[in-house]
Amino acid sequence: MNWKKYKALDPAEKRNEAYYVIGLDMGNDSSAIAFYNLADTAPESIDLSGGYGKPSIPTVMQYVPETKEWVVGEYAILNKGVGTVFSSLTERLGRFDYIDVDGRSLSVASVLAMFIKELLSNVKNINPRAEIVGIVVSVPAYFSKHAQEELHKVFKLAGYEKELIGFIPDRECVLAHKYRIPPEQEEHTLIIDFGSRELRGGLYHVKAEDNGIKATSISSVFDDEISMYALNNDISEMFTSFLEKGAVADTILKEHIPAFTYQHKDILFQKNIRTKPIKLYYNFAYPPIQYTLTYDKVEEMVLPYAQRFNQFIKDVLEKNLYDKKIPISNVNAVLCVGGGFDMLWAKEAVGNIFGKDKVRFFKNSKLINAEGAALIAAHILGLTNIKLTLEDNHQLTGDIGFANGDNFLTLVERNGFWWQKYPAKLILINQSVQGDFDLQLEERREDGKSKNLTTLHLDALPDRPKGVTRLEVRLNFISNSDLIITINDLGFGEIYPKTDYMREFLVKI
């Protein structure tokens, strides 16, 4: 059913037990779904494991050439070696990529559509007569507009275009999950997401407003050097070094290291081993190798991560929209999501800073996002009066770049954060230059509207013929509303060498 048609139904009709309002967390590594339980007026997760109690499923597809069948999720991982396994599908959205499947090209969108279709079929396990009437999808905050466009195509290919309400940033879903009722007093809530890709943190000012909740983003910081991916690489390198000391580390042996890392990371970093050393058995090598790893060695590896984690928290509290650092005592609640917080040292780092009473760890962040998305869907469809409004002054609302007629050179994309570092862009002026030249800086929003920000007047440029004036443009935000643009002359080969020409402009957006 079209979600707009469901929204217009009489309240009594909406509570038909066959209607299901879905929240879905679309993760790169794993995904989860939840539904809004009309009887309990609360979100509820959907078991995706066939009764084994696993709330999430790997976002993985496998093609088996012999049977020409597709295998979904965990079974695809367990069957590795039988057919081709496709992972990191969500991360590839926005590129409009194709993959080779048994000698033919299939779009990533079409493969992911099969995954979505299979994922949502689990609703039938709850009620064979189930009819999905609305879907809200939790996506990462950094999801680009091109990625969202292709994800919309995914749902269309899966046959759920009319049920799809929209995409919501994951941090908004976490806030919706926590604040199911308005807080009695104004609060500062910190969300820390320690995932495979990066460590992200954001502080929000939360207050009750007009029978709902308003959350205002105060700070938003990320660090891609602290991630499960980075830590896994460090562990794998350490295990490889142990292998090389005891045996010939050929290609076949090194292929075992990622699986060995996955198996032993839990022992090393998620369990308290301070009382005795850990013995590692390399039973895949010949002859087998035993290596004893002391806790001191583990502490040595974790120390740089712990130090950087503490600096990260400091940055979250300092790099905010206020004029001064936010004291730790002003943070009322700390919500920790992501697999990184399964590690003991990460839990202790947060607890040592904020105190254990303020900190809450969510074991499965995918589930939290899915349930939060289900709550947001329920509000949009008129099933609950609690509305969460997220005001974000950190993300850019439009593309910023240079306009020349119908041409537009993007310097910064919409949904980027003002505090990010942006790479320099090169401009080749396709006309002759004699002294002065103007560049029109514009902001282009999602609705197609354009706003002229300013004209950058470049005076006293070196005289050059058409197509040989090459400029480097660097953009640096100094606040969420002010930026500095620096333009340098790069020259053009040996005939037109680089000069010391440089101009700097302060621009307000």
Side-chain angles (χ1 to χ4, degrees), residues 200-499:
R200 288 187 287 145
L203 188 65
Y204 300 87
H205 177 238
V206 183
K207 64 177 181 178
E209 186 179 81
D210 300 329
N211 296 323
I213 303 159
K214 182 178 180 181
T216 303
S217 175
I218 298 172
S219 68
S220 185
V221 178
F222 79 93
D223 189 333
D224 57 6
E225 293 188 27
I226 310 180
S227 67
M228 295 299 292
Y229 178 79
L231 189 58
N232 284 344
N233 282 346
D234 284 350
I235 298 171
S236 291
E237 288 178 7
M238 180 178 69
F239 286 167
T240 302
S241 70
F242 297 160
L243 177 65
E244 291 171 345
K245 290 176 181 177
V248 178
D250 59 21
T251 303
I252 297 176
L253 290 178
K254 284 188 176 181
E255 287 178 354
H256 288 273
I257 292 296
F260 194 74
T261 299
Y262 179 80
Q263 294 167 359
H264 289 79
K265 185 175 64 178
D266 176 75
I267 298 173
L268 294 175
F269 297 101
Q270 295 171 213
K271 299 289 190 297
N272 191 336
I273 63 167
R274 290 169 179 166
T275 55
K276 58 182 179 180
I278 291 293
K279 292 183 178 180
L280 305 174
Y281 295 95
Y282 288 67
N283 55 3
F284 52 85
Y286 185 81
I289 304 166
Q290 177 178 316
Y291 193 91
T292 300
L293 190 64
T294 65
Y295 180 72
D296 290 340
K297 180 66 178 179
V298 175
E299 284 282 86
E300 182 184 323
M301 171 176 283
V302 166
L303 182 61
Y305 283 90
Q307 290 174 337
R308 195 169 179 92
F309 187 93
N310 290 337
Q311 180 60 47
F312 170 80
I313 296 298
K314 183 180 178 183
D315 289 343
V316 172
L317 298 179
E318 286 185 353
K319 296 179 180 179
N320 61 72
L321 297 182
Y322 297 156
D323 293 331
K324 57 184 179 180
K325 175 183 176 180
I326 299 168
I328 292 173
S329 58
N330 282 17
V331 179
N332 302 96
V334 182
L335 311 179
C336 298
V337 296
F341 286 110
D342 288 339
M343 295 183 289
L344 182 64
W345 72 264
K347 285 184 176 180
E348 289 182 341
V350 180
N352 291 339
I353 295 171
F354 295 100
K356 294 181 180 179
D357 293 340
K358 291 184 179 181
V359 182
R360 183 179 178 187
F361 297 98
F362 294 106
K363 189 173 182 180
N364 191 301
S365 59
K366 300 296 177 186
L367 189 57
I368 299 304
N369 290 338
E371 290 185 359
L375 283 165
I376 292 172
H379 170 74
I380 293 172
L381 296 175
L383 300 173
T384 173
N385 294 325
I386 303 302
K387 177 184 178 182
L388 173 69
T389 303
L390 177 60
E391 180 183 61
D392 194 341
N393 296 312
H394 290 273
Q395 282 188 282
L396 305 175
T397 56
D399 297 332
I400 296 176
F402 293 127
N404 183 14
D406 294 332
N407 297 322
F408 186 78
L409 173 65
T410 303
L411 300 176
V412 178
E413 285 191 356
R414 179 175 62 88
N415 288 338
F417 294 91
W418 66 267
W419 39 260
Q420 283 181 266
K421 292 182 179 179
Y422 293 96
K425 293 291 181 76
L426 300 182
I427 298 177
L428 185 64
I429 299 177
N430 195 29
Q431 65 185 74
S432 62
V433 174
Q434 295 180 343
D436 296 356
F437 190 83
D438 290 339
L439 292 171
Q440 302 299 326
L441 189 69
E442 282 191 3
E443 179 183 22
R444 294 192 173 181
R445 296 180 178 271
E446 185 180 11
D447 57 10
K449 294 182 179 179
S450 298
K451 176 186 176 183
N452 184 270
L453 297 176
T454 190
T455 299
L456 304 184
H457 181 66
L458 303 178
D459 62 309
L461 274 168
D463 293 347
R464 288 177 185 156
K466 178 180 178 181
V468 295
T469 297
R470 197 161 57 110
L471 304 175
E472 179 190 67
V473 181
R474 290 192 176 275
L475 185 147
N476 180 39
F477 282 87
I478 56 176
S479 74
N480 64 323
S481 60
D482 299 285
L483 61 93
I484 293 176
I485 293 180
T486 306
I487 299 178
N488 293 281
D489 171 43
L490 293 183
F492 197 89
E494 295 181 0
I495 300 177
Y496 301 100
K498 176 181 178 181
T499 68

Side-chain angles (χ1 to χ4, degrees), residues 189-201:
T189 298
L190 174 62
I191 299 178
I192 309 176
D193 187 346
F194 193 172
S196 60
R197 183 176 179 135
E198 63 196 12
L199 178 64
R200 288 187 287 145

